[in-house]
Amino acid sequence: MTIDELVRRTLRDWSDEARVPSDLASRVLRRRRRSGVKAFAVVAGATAAVVAGALTVPALVQKGQVDDSRSAVVVLTEPSPSAETVGDPESAPPRTLVAAGGTAVYSYYVWDQVKISDDRQVLTRAWSLYDKGGQTYEQTPWAWLDVAPGGESVAVLEQVPARRVGVVTGRGGEVRWIDLERPAGAVRWSPDAKKLLVTNYGGNPDESYVPVNNSQKMMPTSRTGYTVVDLDSGQSAFHALEPDENNRFGGRQDFSWSTDGTLVWEHNSTPPGTKKFYDLDGNPRPGPPGAAETYEAAGVSPDGRWIPAQTPDKNAAMALKDVRTGEVLSVKPIDGQWIEQLVAWADDGHVITWACESKGFNSCVGSEFRNRLLLVDVNGGEAVPLTGYRENNQKPGSWEPVFTRR
């Protein structure tokens, strides 16, 4: 039996048995505004690592726990050196690989909203990862996952919140569990794949109140701080950090890595649309040039030149600010597409965006929530569809991609 056949058989077995518990995911989608700085509406709203090859983790989830008696099956391939643009413009979520330049979508999640009491609900996620052998995305059982740059390892949480984080490395590797001082609600790999950044919560950050008369009351966040785990030594250090009480989104307030891995950051409410940076010991620090100025998920371009900006041109679909000169570059609508969010850089001259079909300035055909991933040339030269349209990203069953440098 080949390794591909083994993976597919295991996946079939797992799909018959596994259940994703109703209390395992997160509440983080945010309604975007059509003017000003748009909030990035996914928990992976900053740095999100993904597998750089085929990766499946079909360990069973039963009663919210992973069966440690069964090894996690992980099939990893070498990172692709190709900068070829590939996509699945007819499907949402995609069935085949989505990648452009130095960035790829090797995982995504589909979210659902589950009512757990008369006045409370929880957002759950079903995570899928790209399987190179089958050349498609396959669902996994984890409540949270993040894959290291280069695709050699994956960090997982069994549930949210969790008292330990799991790391799976290599072909057929077993889960290495690391106990935590404080419960974890999210985990992210450092850019050098040597550390984990854990956001700690006292409760489930994905719970929210059930809306009443179309009014959403936000639940206070239970965030307690963050933990940095050194994987070589297995040592971890918790840093208490008060949550931003002015954050109108409440609930989940995750930390993310800076591009070089020397700092961590969170979204800032004052002034709105900015970021706050800290060193690895919890001390406030200034951010890299331009990085603190943008709320958009794409952040600073790989060469450090561009950041998303507000455009002075009312007819422009998006704008970029040159960090060095302050010059603002306006990009016109391309091929009937209206650009809504900048979510990841493919390379220095191309950015991946959410875009809708345009019917005029600041207006979309049908709804602004019907959109697809689009690769855009910052000079306005071309736009390449990467996925099909998701019909409404504000409703259960919608999908959210995660990105990494490949």
Side-chain angles (χ1 to χ4, degrees):
M1 180 181 296
T2 68
I3 188 67
D4 288 345
E5 291 169 340
L6 176 61
V7 171
R8 293 206 243 309
R9 174 175 294 183
T10 307
L11 283 168
R12 286 195 296 270
D13 294 343
W14 169 76
S15 65
D16 291 337
E17 301 175 61
R19 297 293 183 270
V20 178
S22 62
D23 62 346
L24 291 191
S26 54
R27 168 82 171 140
V28 71
L29 290 176
R30 304 167 180 172
R31 177 172 294 274
R32 297 190 307 275
R33 295 172 294 174
R34 293 297 295 164
S35 61
V37 180
K38 302 180 183 69
F40 181 50
V42 297
V43 75
T47 308
V50 289
V51 153
L55 183 143
T56 54
V57 189
L60 297 182
V61 172
Q62 298 175 346
K63 298 181 180 179
Q65 298 294 325
V66 170
D67 181 359
D68 289 339
S69 66
R70 181 174 180 179
S71 297
V73 177
V74 182
V75 180
L76 299 171
T77 62
E78 292 299 318
S80 171
S82 172
E84 178 186 5
T85 298
V86 293
D88 187 3
E90 302 302 320
S91 302
R95 296 165 299 177
T96 58
L97 181 64
V98 174
T103 298
V105 176
Y106 280 96
S107 68
Y108 66 82
Y109 65 86
V110 175
W111 66 275
D112 194 8
Q113 199 75 270
V114 178
K115 193 173 182 180
I116 56 177
S117 69
D118 289 340
D119 66 341
R120 296 194 178 192
Q121 60 189 4
V122 65
L123 188 147
T124 64
R125 287 184 184 81
W127 288 87
S128 292
L129 296 168
Y130 183 68
D131 171 15
K132 187 175 182 180
Q135 296 187 351
T136 189
Y137 294 90
E138 300 286 357
Q139 190 171 326
T140 78
W142 305 106
W144 184 277
L145 62 83
D146 196 37
V147 183
E152 293 297 328
S153 303
V154 58
V156 299
L157 299 180
E158 305 162 272
Q159 57 191 24
V160 175
R163 294 310 300 251
R164 62 182 184 174
V165 59
V167 177
V168 186
T169 303
R171 289 181 178 271
E174 295 187 359
V175 184
R176 171 194 174 190
W177 294 107
I178 301 170
D179 293 328
L180 300 168
E181 179 183 342
R182 306 292 178 92
V187 58
R188 303 187 194 282
W189 286 91
S190 63
D192 63 3
K194 294 181 178 181
K195 297 182 180 66
L196 298 176
L197 174 63
V198 174
T199 304
N200 301 104
Y201 292 92
N204 191 337
D206 306 320
E207 269 189 43
S208 64
Y209 292 111
V210 174
V212 177
N213 298 324
N214 294 322
S215 177
Q216 179 68 63
K217 178 183 177 183
M218 301 310 299
M219 185 173 293
T221 183
S222 63
R223 196 191 73 185
T224 57
Y226 65 87
T227 298
V228 177
V229 180
D230 182 274
L231 292 174
D232 288 339
S233 66
Q235 298 298 308
S236 61
F238 170 73
H239 304 290
L241 197 62
E242 291 293 327
D244 184 352
E245 297 298 340
N246 295 318
N247 188 321
R248 66 185 179 90
F249 300 118
R252 182 174 284 280
Q253 295 181 17
D254 293 345
F255 292 95
S256 297
W257 291 97
S258 64
T259 302
D260 64 2
T262 62
L263 302 172
V264 303
W265 63 266
E266 64 174 332
H267 286 298
N268 193 10
S269 62
T270 309
T274 59
K275 299 171 183 175
K276 291 188 290 188
F277 287 81
Y278 306 88
D279 64 23
L280 302 191
D281 295 320
N283 303 305
R285 292 287 185 264
E293 300 178 35
T294 177
Y295 206 84
E296 295 275 8
V300 183
S301 61
D303 62 0
R305 179 180 180 184
W306 300 108
I307 60 170
Q310 291 181 278
T311 174
D313 183 352
K314 69 176 184 179
N315 295 314
M318 73 176 191
L320 298 168
K321 177 182 176 181
D322 191 320
V323 174
R324 296 168 292 186
T325 66
E327 175 189 2
V328 174
L329 172 68
S330 296
V331 179
K332 303 295 184 181
I334 303 171
D335 298 333
Q337 300 292 312
W338 184 262
I339 298 166
E340 299 178 291
Q341 289 180 308
L342 282 63
V343 291
W345 287 92
D347 53 40
D348 297 330
H350 296 83
V351 64
I352 300 172
T353 73
W354 282 115
C356 65
E357 292 179 284
S358 175
K359 64 176 182 180
F361 168 68
N362 208 25
S363 181
C364 299
V365 175
S367 168
E368 68 168 303
F369 303 125
R370 181 181 183 272
N371 49 26
R372 66 179 173 180
L373 289 181
L374 191 73
L375 178 67
V376 176
D377 183 338
V378 299
N379 294 312
E382 61 178 346
V384 179
L386 298 176
T387 68
Y389 288 98
R390 53 183 186 182
E391 291 305 314
N392 190 330
N393 69 336
Q394 300 294 298
K395 290 186 177 181
S398 183
W399 73 283
E400 294 288 347
V402 293
F403 302 88
T404 196
R405 305 303 295 175
R406 61 172 174 172

